[in-house]
Amino acid sequence: MLLRVRVTLPDRPGTLGQVARTLGVSGADIVQVVVLERLGGRAVDDFTVVWPGAARVERLLAGLAAIPGVRVDGVWRAIGAPTTTGQDAELLAQVAANPADGLATLVDAVPGLLAADWAVAAVVPVDWASRTGGGGATVGHASWRAPVPPRLPEVTPLRGRSTTTPDGTHHAIAPFGRAGLVLVVAREYSDTLCAANFHSTEVDRLTQLVRACAVILGDRLDLVGAPPVVAGP
């Protein structure tokens, strides 16, 4: 299976090599490394690896924890192929080529781009903040792995951000900037694997995709979640 491994490590020569060797010795075949952050002498890296299904992840975690200064932030199952340069532009081109299905195209593609489990485009009512406990959002479109009904966090569509619900599910949230529409992406909690929260670079990426799609789709977004028009007799 394909796993995503997020590691925080000292940003000095040799440490990345130690992490890579440990992954290999544990049985992981590295297919991609993405640097999410380099700041203050520390780096945050995402490794996408092919992992033998019968192998125990605990061996991998123990090996990484033994490297001085290294912290494992998360290990979780990745959905789809590793991300490559140009995927965001290709997705936006697909949205522009078929705007009638543009929102569905975006929602279905985002989990694969962000190594997430599912995504939904939700319509948040104008009076959301005044409702007891928030809530009241309706689903405009959900990806195929989304639970029914999807377990949405209590959010307002003000800005892109990440959040974690009490059950351990991580969410990235980005507003479209019109019609109360917001995109919610989730990494669910698992008893065997523990996903990392969405990094700020991932939230920024999602926000940019959502803004671009809002420009492309325009007034079509105002119809999301609206009741169907019933023809007269």
Side-chain angles (χ1 to χ4, degrees):
M1 61 180 173
L2 206 62
L3 289 183
R4 185 67 61 88
V5 183
R6 180 165 300 170
V7 178
T8 297
L9 65 159
D11 188 14
R12 59 173 179 257
T15 305
L16 181 59
Q18 286 181 280
V19 172
R21 284 193 297 273
T22 300
L23 288 169
V25 169
S26 301
D29 181 14
I30 301 174
V31 294
Q32 186 181 59
V33 182
V34 176
V35 179
L36 296 176
E37 177 183 310
R38 298 181 69 180
L39 183 66
R42 304 283 289 175
V44 180
D45 294 349
D46 267 3
F47 294 82
T48 303
V49 304
V50 177
W51 182 253
R56 295 179 62 86
V57 177
E58 289 80 0
R59 178 187 178 189
L60 170 63
L61 298 177
L64 292 173
I67 304 174
V70 170
R71 183 185 74 230
V72 179
D73 295 328
V75 178
W76 69 101
R77 189 163 186 170
I79 305 300
T83 57
T84 58
T85 303
Q87 280 186 314
D88 292 6
E90 181 180 351
L91 172 58
L92 293 176
Q94 293 174 0
V95 171
N98 185 13
D101 295 325
L103 182 63
T105 300
L106 173 67
V107 173
D108 291 338
V110 160
L113 295 180
L114 296 181
D117 292 301
W118 51 267
V120 298
V123 180
V124 180
V126 175
D127 62 344
W128 183 93
S130 64
R131 298 191 180 198
T132 303
T138 58
V139 175
H141 184 79
S143 65
W144 70 277
R145 290 175 57 90
V148 180
R151 297 179 292 275
L152 299 178
E154 295 182 356
V155 298
T156 51
L158 299 177
R159 58 181 176 82
R161 65 187 182 96
S162 62
T163 184
T164 301
T165 51
D167 67 357
T169 299
H170 302 300
H171 297 91
I173 303 149
F176 285 83
R178 61 189 304 155
L181 192 63
V182 59
L183 186 60
V184 180
V185 188
R187 290 179 184 147
E188 293 191 331
Y189 173 81
S190 169
D191 291 332
T192 56
L193 299 174
C194 183
N197 197 4
F198 289 91
H199 192 268
S200 58
T201 58
E202 295 176 303
V203 176
D204 289 344
R205 182 185 184 189
L206 179 66
T207 300
Q208 291 169 10
L209 279 171
V210 167
R211 287 175 178 170
C213 285
V215 172
I216 294 171
L217 299 178
D219 294 343
R220 291 178 182 271
L221 295 178
D222 296 335
L223 302 178
V224 177
V229 177
V230 180

